[in-house]
Structure formats: C-alpha cells, structure tokens
Amino acid sequence: MSDTEHPGSSERNQAHESAAGHEGRPCSCAGKSGEPDNPDRRKFLIRVGIGLNIAAGALVGIPVLGYLFSAFRKKEERSWISLGPADQFEAGKIRLASYRNPGAKGWDGQSADIPCWVRRDDSGEFQVFAINCTHLGCPVRWFEESGLFLCPCHGGAYYQDGARAAGPPPRGLYQYEHRLRNGELLVMGGRIPTLSQSV
Ligand code: FES
C-alpha cells in the first residue's frame, strides 16, 4: 500500500476491476458510478452550467439595473391640463372632476384618469384638491351635509377649505396649482402627491 492509499482501497479496486471485466489492465473508468469518462459529455455539461448561470444572473441583474437606472430617467411629466369650462363649477359647491395623467401610456386605460375635488367658494375663487388622504393616500369623499371631506380608511377628516379637521392625517389636503385660461380651469397635473412633495 502506498503512502496515499487508503486502507481497503486496494480491495475495492480489485472488486471494481473484476465487476468491470478488466482484471489486470489499467482501469479507464471514472468516478464512483463506474461510467466511462466522456470528455464531450463533460464539456456539454459545463456549457449548460455556464448558460444556466448567465440566465440566472440576467434574471436577477436586469431588474436591479432597471431599478438603479430609473433614478436617471425622466420621473414625471407635469403640465397644465384642463378640467373643463370654469362655469361648470357652481359657486359655493364642491364637486368631483378628473383629468388624464400627462405621463399616461396607451395601455394605462382608466388608471390614468386622475380624480380631484374642485371647490368654488361663494366669491368664485377656486381650490383644487388631490383626492388622496395625506395619511396613507386613501381617496377622500366630500360630504355636503357635514361639510367635511372624510377618509374611509382611518377616519381622517378635512374642512371644506382642505384644512385638517380630525384623525391621523398630519396635514391638510394637497392642493393643485391652478389657473383660468380662456374660460377653462387648468391644473398643473402629473405628480402623485406625497408628504415630501405635494401635487
Ligand atoms: S388614509 Fe386617510 S386617515 Fe388613514
């Protein structure tokens, strides 16, 4: 037995040579399975392994790169958008309006229609509120009877001028920049409001 030979290995080799039918001749078998060592098969398996690794890397890497580079892409497309003729909004009333998100893509469908609340006070001045509650963004509703905007999610409430009245919202409703042009009410739309960035 050589220095590196393990006890019992000689008996195992003899048993293998006997089973493989090549006693006394050099053994060309490889591995524990005793199957012939096929270089083409090995190369094929290596290539398959490399291909699978590349595919797995692409699956993980492409979304990560997309996320990282999204910071450099144009984030929003804000522009003046008409809510329609100003005289459709009655003085002393609050009503729902909507506009098409200027950054909408063809496949966005109705999800690109952004609702907002338009208030025209008794003197004819406008306020346009984002529909999103300033707590966690649920859509608020106007209740004329109580004179409040109410949020169904956690009971947030706002006065008719958008100021916070009660509940968890940390501030009043987000207000759109707006203007009148040629008898139309326009809002600066295209941004989703957050606490750090209003509409
Ligand atoms: S989301 Fe409106 S109160 Fe919480």
Side-chain angles (χ1 to χ4, degrees):
M1 185 169 69
S2 71
D3 292 346
T4 55
E5 197 173 3
H6 295 287
S9 64
S10 142
E11 290 81 355
R12 278 201 301 276
N13 288 342
Q14 281 174 6
H16 165 68
E17 285 172 6
S18 171
H22 49 239
E23 295 93 333
R25 285 181 280 120
C27 179
S28 62
C29 303
K32 291 177 182 175
S33 66
E35 291 177 6
D37 188 12
N38 186 333
D40 289 342
R41 184 165 173 263
R42 185 187 295 170
K43 274 187 204 162
F44 171 75
L45 289 175
I46 289 173
R47 283 183 190 145
V48 168
I50 291 172
L52 287 175
N53 274 310
I54 291 172
L59 277 175
V60 174
I62 288 173
V64 171
L65 287 176
Y67 172 76
L68 292 176
F69 282 104
S70 66
F72 301 102
R73 285 207 307 261
K74 197 173 177 183
K75 274 187 177 169
E76 57 191 31
E77 297 173 34
R78 298 184 75 212
S79 59
W80 289 104
I81 305 158
S82 175
L83 293 181
D87 57 15
Q88 71 176 313
F89 300 102
E90 195 181 334
K93 295 282 184 189
I94 292 174
R95 54 158 286 196
L96 198 62
S98 77
Y99 68 87
R100 189 85 182 155
N101 188 341
K105 303 288 181 290
W107 53 82
D108 286 339
Q110 287 190 336
S111 66
D113 293 333
I114 311 293
C116 55
W117 289 107
V118 178
R119 175 187 182 222
R120 190 168 195 180
D121 69 15
D122 293 331
S123 65
E125 290 297 311
F126 284 98
Q127 283 181 294
V128 185
F129 304 110
I131 200 167
N132 312 84
C133 177
T134 58
H135 180 220
L136 294 178
C138 290
V140 300
R141 284 189 60 197
W142 168 246
F143 289 86
E144 183 129 20
E145 313 76 42
S146 55
L148 291 170
F149 290 99
L150 297 175
C151 176
C153 291
H154 314 101
Y158 306 83
Y159 296 114
Q160 62 176 350
D161 65 355
R164 178 187 172 277
R171 51 158 287 170
L173 289 174
Y174 301 111
Q175 291 193 47
Y176 283 94
E177 197 180 337
H178 65 277
R179 65 163 61 150
L180 293 172
R181 189 173 66 198
N182 299 329
E184 302 232 329
L185 176 62
L186 309 180
V187 290
M188 178 58 82
R191 177 185 284 166
I192 294 175
T194 63
L195 282 178
S196 61
Q197 181 177 261
S198 190
V199 285

